[in-house]
Amino acid sequence: MSRQRLMQARQFYSPHSSVITPQLAFARWTERVAVQTELGSAREIAGLSDAELCTLEAEFERSPVRPRSDRLRHAFRLGAVLVTVGGFCLALQALTVGFGDGAYRVTQLLSMACVLAGVCALVAGAYAGFGTLHLELAHGTVGLYVGQLNEQHPWLYDSMAAARNPSADKYRQQVLRDRGPLRGADCILMREIVRAQEALERTQWARTVAEQVQRQVSAADAAGAEPRLIRVGSRHDHRAASGRRAGEPN
């Protein structure tokens, strides 16, 4: 039994108070993104108001790396200090008086105990760090979801490509009209709309699709579809054509 298994058992239902600090709100969204699917997280975040999204975006700009709040967050630093101090004491004792003198055996034991405690602290800190690695990744994912699709966002061109679809562009216009600037979560939803449209097209009959693919465009359809490019002659060709027209009888 783990926290993720318990969240799956209750379908990731985790209610919380609406009046919370931006730090706590971002931390809770990080936990939800870590256990939910991409689409589920995107449609929840996209439903927030523009003020809430701006608050989360400002919090990510303030802290782009997830701050650790567990009890072992300083274990790695403490372990490094203990190992350094213990190793320095052992090296100093070996260079000055050696390890054979019984009067300095207590110092030797304390130095070795310091090194052993430092190693244990390093192992505990590394274990705790790897245990929260999924939250570190989810923290950056939330930042991508709540960030505006500006020139700094990595999903800018993906959103432009998705907006070429009429249904996705309709969603884009609705978001701009009702909520505000587009966010990273909106890019995921637009891509899902495009994916759904492609899946719907794949349900057509194979014979109908084959007829559309093999249909030959007639001359009338080609003329009415779009204007063709014409060849532009040189100045010499224009003068020759003007001379021929001038020499023709009226």
Side-chain angles (χ1 to χ4, degrees):
M1 297 297 293
S2 61
R3 177 177 174 81
Q4 184 176 2
R5 183 65 185 90
L6 293 175
M7 291 290 289
Q8 291 176 355
R10 63 187 184 191
Q11 298 181 357
F12 304 106
Y13 179 65
S14 180
H16 56 83
S17 176
S18 57
V19 183
I20 54 178
T21 61
Q23 295 83 359
L24 185 58
F26 203 98
R28 290 186 174 180
W29 278 114
T30 300
E31 294 179 357
R32 292 186 67 85
V33 169
V35 296
Q36 282 188 333
T37 61
E38 182 185 56
L39 179 59
S41 303
R43 63 190 180 190
E44 287 187 4
I45 293 179
L48 299 177
S49 63
D50 187 64
E52 293 174 325
L53 291 173
C54 289
T55 303
L56 293 176
E57 184 182 14
E59 175 61 24
F60 182 73
E61 292 178 357
R62 187 190 66 84
S63 178
V65 180
R66 177 180 175 270
R68 291 183 57 179
S69 58
D70 55 295
R71 297 179 179 179
L72 298 177
R73 61 183 181 275
H74 301 303
F76 199 85
R77 299 177 181 176
L78 179 61
V81 172
L82 291 176
V83 169
T84 303
V85 172
F88 177 77
C89 292
L90 289 175
L92 183 63
Q93 185 178 2
L95 293 175
T96 55
V97 298
F99 297 114
D101 194 351
Y104 297 94
R105 194 171 298 275
V106 177
T107 305
Q108 178 185 354
L109 292 177
L110 290 177
S111 301
M112 294 180 64
C114 187
V115 172
L116 182 60
V119 171
C120 294
L122 286 175
V123 173
Y127 179 79
F130 282 110
T132 58
L133 183 60
H134 64 290
L135 294 177
E136 301 288 343
L137 299 177
H139 183 88
T141 304
V142 175
L144 287 173
Y145 286 172
V146 301
Q148 291 190 21
L149 292 175
N150 51 22
E151 62 276 5
Q152 299 178 357
H153 205 285
W155 295 348
L156 177 63
Y157 290 94
D158 294 341
S159 61
M160 181 182 66
R164 295 171 182 169
N165 184 278
S167 300
D169 186 68
K170 181 179 178 181
Y171 170 83
R172 183 182 68 86
Q173 296 291 343
Q174 180 182 0
V175 171
L176 292 175
R177 182 178 63 253
D178 298 339
R179 193 195 66 198
L182 294 175
R183 307 279 175 169
D186 298 316
C187 178
I188 294 179
L189 294 181
M190 287 193 296
R191 287 187 299 187
E192 188 64 25
I193 291 174
V194 174
R195 191 179 298 113
Q197 291 288 339
E198 293 178 352
L200 182 61
E201 292 178 356
R202 291 181 181 273
T203 61
Q204 298 182 8
W205 296 340
R207 176 172 296 182
T208 304
V209 176
E211 291 176 356
Q212 294 177 1
V213 172
Q214 300 295 340
R215 184 172 63 89
Q216 184 178 4
V217 180
S218 61
D221 296 339
E226 60 180 3
R228 297 292 180 177
L229 297 177
I230 59 174
R231 179 176 178 272
V232 179
S234 61
R235 183 179 300 179
H236 177 72
D237 297 336
H238 286 291
R239 290 179 179 177
S242 300
R244 287 196 300 269
R245 287 196 298 269
E248 292 179 358
N250 296 332

